[in-house]
mmCIF file of all heavy atoms in Angstrom:
data_model
loop_
_atom_site.group_PDB
_atom_site.id
_atom_site.type_symbol
_atom_site.label_atom_id
_atom_site.label_comp_id
_atom_site.label_asym_id
_atom_site.label_seq_id
_atom_site.Cartn_x
_atom_site.Cartn_y
_atom_site.Cartn_z
ATOM 1 N N ILE A 23 0.855 -1.180 -0.012
ATOM 2 C CA ILE A 23 -0.017 0.019 0.014
ATOM 3 C C ILE A 23 0.918 1.220 -0.001
ATOM 4 O O ILE A 23 1.782 1.359 0.855
ATOM 5 C CB ILE A 23 -0.919 -0.004 1.265
ATOM 6 C CG1 ILE A 23 -1.725 -1.261 1.336
ATOM 7 C CG2 ILE A 23 -1.815 1.234 1.229
ATOM 8 C CD1 ILE A 23 -2.324 -1.536 2.678
ATOM 9 N N LYS A 24 0.670 2.117 -0.966
ATOM 10 C CA LYS A 24 1.483 3.347 -1.023
ATOM 11 C C LYS A 24 1.282 4.178 0.216
ATOM 12 O O LYS A 24 0.183 4.187 0.768
ATOM 13 C CB LYS A 24 1.118 4.122 -2.298
ATOM 14 C CG LYS A 24 1.485 3.463 -3.558
ATOM 15 C CD LYS A 24 1.057 4.283 -4.717
ATOM 16 C CE LYS A 24 1.374 3.507 -6.054
ATOM 17 N NZ LYS A 24 0.810 4.209 -7.205
ATOM 18 N N GLU A 25 2.285 4.886 0.610
ATOM 19 C CA GLU A 25 2.211 5.715 1.862
ATOM 20 C C GLU A 25 1.069 6.705 1.851
ATOM 21 O O GLU A 25 0.419 6.874 2.849
ATOM 22 C CB GLU A 25 3.559 6.434 2.052
ATOM 23 C CG GLU A 25 3.638 7.093 3.389
ATOM 24 C CD GLU A 25 5.020 7.713 3.667
ATOM 25 O OE1 GLU A 25 5.990 7.330 3.012
ATOM 26 O OE2 GLU A 25 5.083 8.574 4.555
ATOM 27 N N GLU A 26 0.810 7.298 0.665
ATOM 28 C CA GLU A 26 -0.255 8.295 0.583
ATOM 29 C C GLU A 26 -1.659 7.647 0.763
ATOM 30 O O GLU A 26 -2.639 8.346 1.031
ATOM 31 C CB GLU A 26 -0.214 9.125 -0.694
ATOM 32 C CG GLU A 26 -0.397 8.317 -1.958
ATOM 33 C CD GLU A 26 0.930 7.854 -2.618
ATOM 34 O OE1 GLU A 26 1.943 7.835 -1.969
ATOM 35 O OE2 GLU A 26 0.874 7.521 -3.790
ATOM 36 N N ASN A 27 -1.716 6.332 0.587
ATOM 37 C CA ASN A 27 -3.029 5.663 0.787
ATOM 38 C C ASN A 27 -3.213 4.971 2.161
ATOM 39 O O ASN A 27 -4.333 4.599 2.480
ATOM 40 C CB ASN A 27 -3.174 4.550 -0.318
ATOM 41 C CG ASN A 27 -3.331 5.154 -1.693
ATOM 42 O OD1 ASN A 27 -3.847 6.251 -1.823
ATOM 43 N ND2 ASN A 27 -2.927 4.394 -2.691
ATOM 44 N N LEU A 28 -2.157 4.886 2.929
ATOM 45 C CA LEU A 28 -2.245 4.200 4.227
ATOM 46 C C LEU A 28 -3.311 4.816 5.118
ATOM 47 O O LEU A 28 -4.046 4.109 5.827
ATOM 48 C CB LEU A 28 -0.935 4.191 4.928
ATOM 49 C CG LEU A 28 0.026 3.087 4.549
ATOM 50 C CD1 LEU A 28 1.372 3.291 5.237
ATOM 51 C CD2 LEU A 28 -0.497 1.720 4.822
ATOM 52 N N GLY A 29 -3.458 6.142 5.116
ATOM 53 C CA GLY A 29 -4.436 6.793 5.970
ATOM 54 C C GLY A 29 -5.847 6.660 5.479
ATOM 55 O O GLY A 29 -6.804 7.011 6.169
ATOM 56 N N LYS A 30 -6.065 6.163 4.261
ATOM 57 C CA LYS A 30 -7.392 6.072 3.714
ATOM 58 C C LYS A 30 -7.994 4.672 3.638
ATOM 59 O O LYS A 30 -9.128 4.489 3.332
ATOM 60 C CB LYS A 30 -7.361 6.586 2.290
ATOM 61 C CG LYS A 30 -6.867 7.988 2.081
ATOM 62 C CD LYS A 30 -6.863 8.338 0.632
ATOM 63 C CE LYS A 30 -5.735 9.296 0.252
ATOM 64 N NZ LYS A 30 -5.585 9.435 -1.181
ATOM 65 N N ILE A 31 -7.126 3.637 3.929
ATOM 66 C CA ILE A 31 -7.570 2.295 3.608
ATOM 67 C C ILE A 31 -8.771 1.815 4.454
ATOM 68 O O ILE A 31 -9.470 0.852 4.053
ATOM 69 C CB ILE A 31 -6.436 1.256 3.754
ATOM 70 C CG1 ILE A 31 -5.884 1.207 5.148
ATOM 71 C CG2 ILE A 31 -5.370 1.497 2.742
ATOM 72 C CD1 ILE A 31 -4.965 0.042 5.430
ATOM 73 N N PHE A 32 -9.019 2.450 5.607
ATOM 74 C CA PHE A 32 -10.156 2.073 6.422
ATOM 75 C C PHE A 32 -11.388 2.913 6.112
ATOM 76 O O PHE A 32 -12.439 2.793 6.732
ATOM 77 C CB PHE A 32 -9.831 2.139 7.916
ATOM 78 C CG PHE A 32 -8.721 1.174 8.320
ATOM 79 C CD1 PHE A 32 -7.534 1.657 8.905
ATOM 80 C CD2 PHE A 32 -8.868 -0.160 8.156
ATOM 81 C CE1 PHE A 32 -6.550 0.771 9.266
ATOM 82 C CE2 PHE A 32 -7.879 -1.095 8.513
ATOM 83 C CZ PHE A 32 -6.692 -0.573 9.095
ATOM 84 N N ASP A 33 -11.285 3.840 5.153
ATOM 85 C CA ASP A 33 -12.425 4.692 4.747
ATOM 86 C C ASP A 33 -13.378 3.880 3.911
ATOM 87 O O ASP A 33 -12.954 3.117 2.997
ATOM 88 C CB ASP A 33 -11.950 5.904 3.971
ATOM 89 C CG ASP A 33 -11.125 6.860 4.779
ATOM 90 O OD1 ASP A 33 -11.122 6.742 5.970
ATOM 91 O OD2 ASP A 33 -10.501 7.782 4.167
ATOM 92 N N PRO A 34 -14.682 4.055 4.123
ATOM 93 C CA PRO A 34 -15.645 3.285 3.255
ATOM 94 C C PRO A 34 -15.513 3.706 1.789
ATOM 95 O O PRO A 34 -15.287 4.854 1.464
ATOM 96 C CB PRO A 34 -17.005 3.798 3.796
ATOM 97 C CG PRO A 34 -16.756 4.371 5.140
ATOM 98 C CD PRO A 34 -15.324 4.849 5.145
ATOM 99 N N PHE A 35 -15.522 2.688 0.944
ATOM 100 C CA PHE A 35 -15.488 2.804 -0.480
ATOM 101 C C PHE A 35 -14.093 3.154 -1.048
ATOM 102 O O PHE A 35 -13.950 3.302 -2.260
ATOM 103 C CB PHE A 35 -16.550 3.760 -1.040
ATOM 104 C CG PHE A 35 -17.894 3.435 -0.603
ATOM 105 C CD1 PHE A 35 -18.600 4.189 0.353
ATOM 106 C CD2 PHE A 35 -18.499 2.251 -1.082
ATOM 107 C CE1 PHE A 35 -19.884 3.849 0.771
ATOM 108 C CE2 PHE A 35 -19.844 1.910 -0.647
ATOM 109 C CZ PHE A 35 -20.471 2.682 0.267
ATOM 110 N N PHE A 36 -13.066 3.286 -0.193
ATOM 111 C CA PHE A 36 -11.740 3.477 -0.718
ATOM 112 C C PHE A 36 -11.154 2.162 -1.163
ATOM 113 O O PHE A 36 -11.129 1.201 -0.407
ATOM 114 C CB PHE A 36 -10.812 4.181 0.297
ATOM 115 C CG PHE A 36 -9.402 4.356 -0.251
ATOM 116 C CD1 PHE A 36 -9.141 5.399 -1.054
ATOM 117 C CD2 PHE A 36 -8.422 3.410 0.016
ATOM 118 C CE1 PHE A 36 -7.844 5.576 -1.635
ATOM 119 C CE2 PHE A 36 -7.124 3.555 -0.479
ATOM 120 C CZ PHE A 36 -6.869 4.639 -1.326
ATOM 121 N N THR A 37 -10.654 2.116 -2.341
ATOM 122 C CA THR A 37 -10.038 0.873 -2.893
ATOM 123 C C THR A 37 -8.892 1.243 -3.811
ATOM 124 O O THR A 37 -8.934 2.265 -4.468
ATOM 125 C CB THR A 37 -11.014 -0.051 -3.565
ATOM 126 O OG1 THR A 37 -10.345 -1.265 -3.873
ATOM 127 C CG2 THR A 37 -11.665 0.576 -4.794
ATOM 128 N N THR A 38 -7.909 0.363 -3.781
ATOM 129 C CA THR A 38 -6.817 0.520 -4.782
ATOM 130 C C THR A 38 -6.924 -0.510 -5.882
ATOM 131 O O THR A 38 -6.103 -0.552 -6.787
ATOM 132 C CB THR A 38 -5.425 0.309 -4.072
ATOM 133 O OG1 THR A 38 -5.421 -0.976 -3.459
ATOM 134 C CG2 THR A 38 -5.203 1.400 -3.016
ATOM 135 N N LYS A 39 -7.973 -1.321 -5.801
ATOM 136 C CA LYS A 39 -8.215 -2.348 -6.819
ATOM 137 C C LYS A 39 -8.851 -1.706 -8.046
ATOM 138 O O LYS A 39 -9.447 -0.658 -7.990
ATOM 139 C CB LYS A 39 -9.099 -3.466 -6.276
ATOM 140 C CG LYS A 39 -8.449 -4.265 -5.173
ATOM 141 C CD LYS A 39 -9.364 -5.343 -4.620
ATOM 142 C CE LYS A 39 -8.670 -6.141 -3.545
ATOM 143 N NZ LYS A 39 -9.547 -7.168 -3.007
ATOM 144 N N GLU A 40 -8.716 -2.459 -9.175
ATOM 145 C CA GLU A 40 -9.350 -2.043 -10.414
ATOM 146 C C GLU A 40 -10.854 -1.979 -10.299
ATOM 147 O O GLU A 40 -11.392 -2.685 -9.453
ATOM 148 C CB GLU A 40 -8.962 -2.998 -11.559
ATOM 149 C CG GLU A 40 -7.463 -3.076 -11.822
ATOM 150 C CD GLU A 40 -6.922 -1.733 -12.392
ATOM 151 O OE1 GLU A 40 -7.623 -1.118 -13.237
ATOM 152 O OE2 GLU A 40 -5.793 -1.358 -12.018
ATOM 153 N N ILE A 41 -11.483 -1.216 -11.149
ATOM 154 C CA ILE A 41 -12.954 -1.140 -11.185
ATOM 155 C C ILE A 41 -13.503 -2.558 -11.428
ATOM 156 O O ILE A 41 -13.012 -3.267 -12.291
ATOM 157 C CB ILE A 41 -13.439 -0.181 -12.293
ATOM 158 C CG1 ILE A 41 -13.051 1.245 -11.916
ATOM 159 C CG2 ILE A 41 -14.911 -0.284 -12.474
ATOM 160 C CD1 ILE A 41 -13.294 2.248 -12.994
ATOM 161 N N GLY A 42 -14.503 -2.933 -10.574
ATOM 162 C CA GLY A 42 -15.113 -4.244 -10.698
ATOM 163 C C GLY A 42 -14.423 -5.300 -9.866
ATOM 164 O O GLY A 42 -14.931 -6.440 -9.738
ATOM 165 N N GLU A 43 -13.250 -5.009 -9.268
ATOM 166 C CA GLU A 43 -12.544 -5.973 -8.493
ATOM 167 C C GLU A 43 -12.758 -5.822 -6.955
ATOM 168 O O GLU A 43 -12.469 -6.702 -6.198
ATOM 169 C CB GLU A 43 -11.031 -5.909 -8.759
ATOM 170 C CG GLU A 43 -10.682 -6.457 -10.134
ATOM 171 C CD GLU A 43 -9.184 -6.468 -10.357
ATOM 172 O OE1 GLU A 43 -8.417 -6.469 -9.365
ATOM 173 O OE2 GLU A 43 -8.766 -6.491 -11.523
ATOM 174 N N GLY A 44 -13.221 -4.695 -6.536
ATOM 175 C CA GLY A 44 -13.419 -4.471 -5.152
ATOM 176 C C GLY A 44 -14.335 -3.299 -4.857
ATOM 177 O O GLY A 44 -14.443 -2.384 -5.657
ATOM 178 N N THR A 45 -15.008 -3.329 -3.672
ATOM 179 C CA THR A 45 -15.947 -2.270 -3.369
ATOM 180 C C THR A 45 -15.326 -1.235 -2.429
ATOM 181 O O THR A 45 -15.905 -0.161 -2.262
ATOM 182 C CB THR A 45 -17.193 -2.859 -2.690
ATOM 183 O OG1 THR A 45 -16.774 -3.474 -1.446
ATOM 184 C CG2 THR A 45 -17.918 -3.807 -3.558
ATOM 185 N N GLY A 46 -14.207 -1.598 -1.805
ATOM 186 C CA GLY A 46 -13.637 -0.682 -0.820
ATOM 187 C C GLY A 46 -14.357 -0.717 0.518
ATOM 188 O O GLY A 46 -14.247 0.201 1.319
ATOM 189 N N LEU A 47 -15.058 -1.838 0.780
ATOM 190 C CA LEU A 47 -15.790 -1.932 2.060
ATOM 191 C C LEU A 47 -15.138 -2.906 3.004
ATOM 192 O O LEU A 47 -15.334 -2.827 4.232
ATOM 193 C CB LEU A 47 -17.250 -2.328 1.763
ATOM 194 C CG LEU A 47 -18.138 -1.295 1.152
ATOM 195 C CD1 LEU A 47 -19.462 -1.830 0.756
ATOM 196 C CD2 LEU A 47 -18.256 -0.031 2.067
ATOM 197 N N GLY A 48 -14.374 -3.854 2.531
ATOM 198 C CA GLY A 48 -13.829 -4.935 3.380
ATOM 199 C C GLY A 48 -13.038 -4.424 4.545
ATOM 200 O O GLY A 48 -13.309 -4.810 5.709
ATOM 201 N N LEU A 49 -12.086 -3.573 4.345
ATOM 202 C CA LEU A 49 -11.260 -3.028 5.451
ATOM 203 C C LEU A 49 -11.984 -2.047 6.338
ATOM 204 O O LEU A 49 -11.815 -2.050 7.555
ATOM 205 C CB LEU A 49 -9.981 -2.381 4.913
ATOM 206 C CG LEU A 49 -8.947 -3.382 4.346
ATOM 207 C CD1 LEU A 49 -7.750 -2.583 3.830
ATOM 208 C CD2 LEU A 49 -8.512 -4.408 5.384
#
């Protein structure tokens, strides 16, 4: 996980996955 994204990974709907691969809700 890139440093600039570490603070966002627990935010609802934030994902680093491609479109269709993740909703950004799991974490």
Side-chain angles (χ1 to χ4, degrees):
I23 304 163
K24 293 178 184 173
E25 189 173 342
E26 63 266 19
N27 291 333
L28 277 175
K30 303 179 213 171
I31 63 167
F32 297 121
D33 293 348
F35 305 109
F36 178 80
T37 184
T38 58
K39 293 180 180 179
E40 297 293 322
I41 293 173
E43 289 185 21
T45 61
L47 290 173
L49 289 178

